[in-house]
Amino acid sequence: MRTLSAQFFKICTFFLVVIITTTAGLSIPSISKRDTVAKCPDNNFPVFVGSSCKTQHSMIVQCKNANTNARASHEQQCNQGENCVDFLLNDDVAFAMCVPVNKLLQWTNGNTDDEFCSGTIRFDSGASGDSISIGLNTYDTNGNPIQVFDMVEKVNNQQIGEVKNQHNFSQIYRNYNVHDIVTFCFIPGASDPHNPYYANKAIANAYIVRLSSIGGKDVQFTDIEPVISQNNTLYIEN
Ligand SMILES: *[C@@H]1O[C@H](CO)[C@@H](O)[C@H](O)[C@H]1NC(C)=O
Ligand SMILES: *[C@@H]1O[C@H](CO)[C@@H](O)[C@H](O)[C@H]1NC(C)=O
């Protein structure tokens, strides 16, 4: 009886996994909801300098006064249902955005110390040869940034960059062609280096944006509606 129900449970789990993995490949033909971008609402400091994620649901925005060059920063909350991802606007300017969770690639290590890779994300429309900004952030279960041992970004399965001991990894990738597939991997930082089977849970959030959609320097960032496809590999908790 015991083995029979264990067998039955295994079969149910198998079908559950099949159902989840076959429905998880989302195709998003057009996105109407806008991402939340940093704003400089104070008239004394109206010029955007940079933004970075403070938590999973908030960013720190730095603004300045163009005449005096004086700077001020403030905290800006994401809208409900959005998570913060760090991007680069150009090689010098950090540009955090709050992205609706249903547009993000999200995955986790659970509590295991190993390499965990994302599903895929790509643009299926628009011009080829554009530059895109690629962002990856890891958060703990309370939504605070959590450092991980290793972060990797790939285009068409070729590694394009790697950082160690960070909670964010942002790059600009030039010459992106429509349908190029972007993927990510991370290795969590072990909280107990003597136990390879245990690591704190990290939740990775990754996304891509066209640089042309978020503008160049000193542009107002208001209209970010990329057309993307994503192919989520959902991590199934034990
Ligand atoms: C990554 O995080 C650091 C620390 O919070 C922050 O200074 C930086 O602007 C963030 N973004 C990028 C693109 O590195
Ligand atoms: C989804 O992932 C599979 C396996 O990695 C890949 O073969 C397929 O091209 C991906 N589809 C999209 C839309 O990225």
Side-chain angles (χ1 to χ4, degrees):
M1 195 58 207
R2 204 177 169 78
T3 51
L4 191 66
S5 66
Q7 201 61 19
F8 182 66
F9 180 74
K10 263 188 202 160
I11 290 167
C12 288
T13 308
F14 172 78
F15 279 110
L16 189 63
V17 169
V18 169
I19 289 164
I20 290 171
T21 49
T22 49
T23 54
L26 297 177
S27 184
I28 304 172
S30 72
I31 289 150
S32 56
K33 192 176 184 315
R34 286 174 187 173
D35 308 308
T36 304
V37 294
K39 293 188 175 65
C40 294
D42 184 341
N43 288 335
N44 297 317
F45 304 96
V47 180
F48 175 80
V49 176
S51 54
S52 61
C53 296
K54 183 180 187 229
T55 69
Q56 193 166 25
H57 302 297
S58 65
M59 47 194 169
I60 295 287
V61 186
Q62 211 181 80
C63 303
K64 72 173 181 184
N65 181 302
N67 300 323
T68 65
N69 239 8
R71 295 183 176 202
S73 22
H74 63 273
E75 188 172 335
Q76 185 177 325
Q77 297 300 315
C78 295
N79 287 318
Q80 192 74 33
E82 294 176 339
N83 286 350
C84 192
V85 179
D86 282 306
F87 297 96
L88 287 169
L89 190 55
N90 60 44
D91 290 330
D92 317 308
V93 179
F95 186 71
M97 290 191 342
C98 299
V99 182
V101 173
N102 61 5
K103 292 161 67 175
L104 289 171
L105 284 179
Q106 255 192 343
W107 71 108
T108 173
N109 61 310
N111 289 103
T112 309
D113 186 1
D114 201 348
E115 184 182 54
F116 287 84
C117 296
S118 69
T120 64
I121 190 164
R122 68 185 190 196
F123 286 100
D124 274 336
S125 67
S128 282
D130 275 2
S131 294
I132 61 166
S133 201
I134 301 178
L136 168 61
N137 285 65
T138 45
Y139 296 103
D140 68 16
T141 50
N142 295 319
N144 293 311
I146 186 174
Q147 187 175 303
V148 294
F149 174 64
D150 186 64
M151 290 174 150
V152 164
E153 296 178 349
K154 299 178 189 175
V155 175
N156 293 334
N157 227 19
Q158 297 295 308
Q159 185 170 316
I160 56 160
E162 180 178 27
V163 294
K164 293 206 187 286
N165 300 317
Q166 303 291 329
H167 69 270
N168 63 7
F169 183 22
S170 311
Q171 287 193 92
I172 292 176
Y173 178 77
R174 299 181 202 283
N175 209 12
Y176 176 89
N177 291 316
V178 174
H179 308 308
D180 281 350
I181 287 174
V182 182
T183 51
F184 305 81
C185 297
F186 78 92
I187 302 173
S191 67
D192 175 2
H194 304 299
N195 184 351
Y197 301 105
Y198 181 80
N200 282 331
K201 182 171 180 174
I203 300 149
N205 291 250
Y207 197 57
I208 58 176
V209 287
R210 282 179 191 279
L211 275 191
S212 58
S213 72
I214 52 178
K217 253 187 180 144
D218 302 328
V219 174
Q220 286 301 308
F221 322 104
T222 50
D223 207 8
I224 301 162
E225 298 190 3
V227 178
I228 56 165
S229 291
Q230 38 173 233
N231 193 353
N232 264 309
T233 311
L234 295 187
Y235 178 83
I236 317 249
E237 298 250 20
N238 292 320

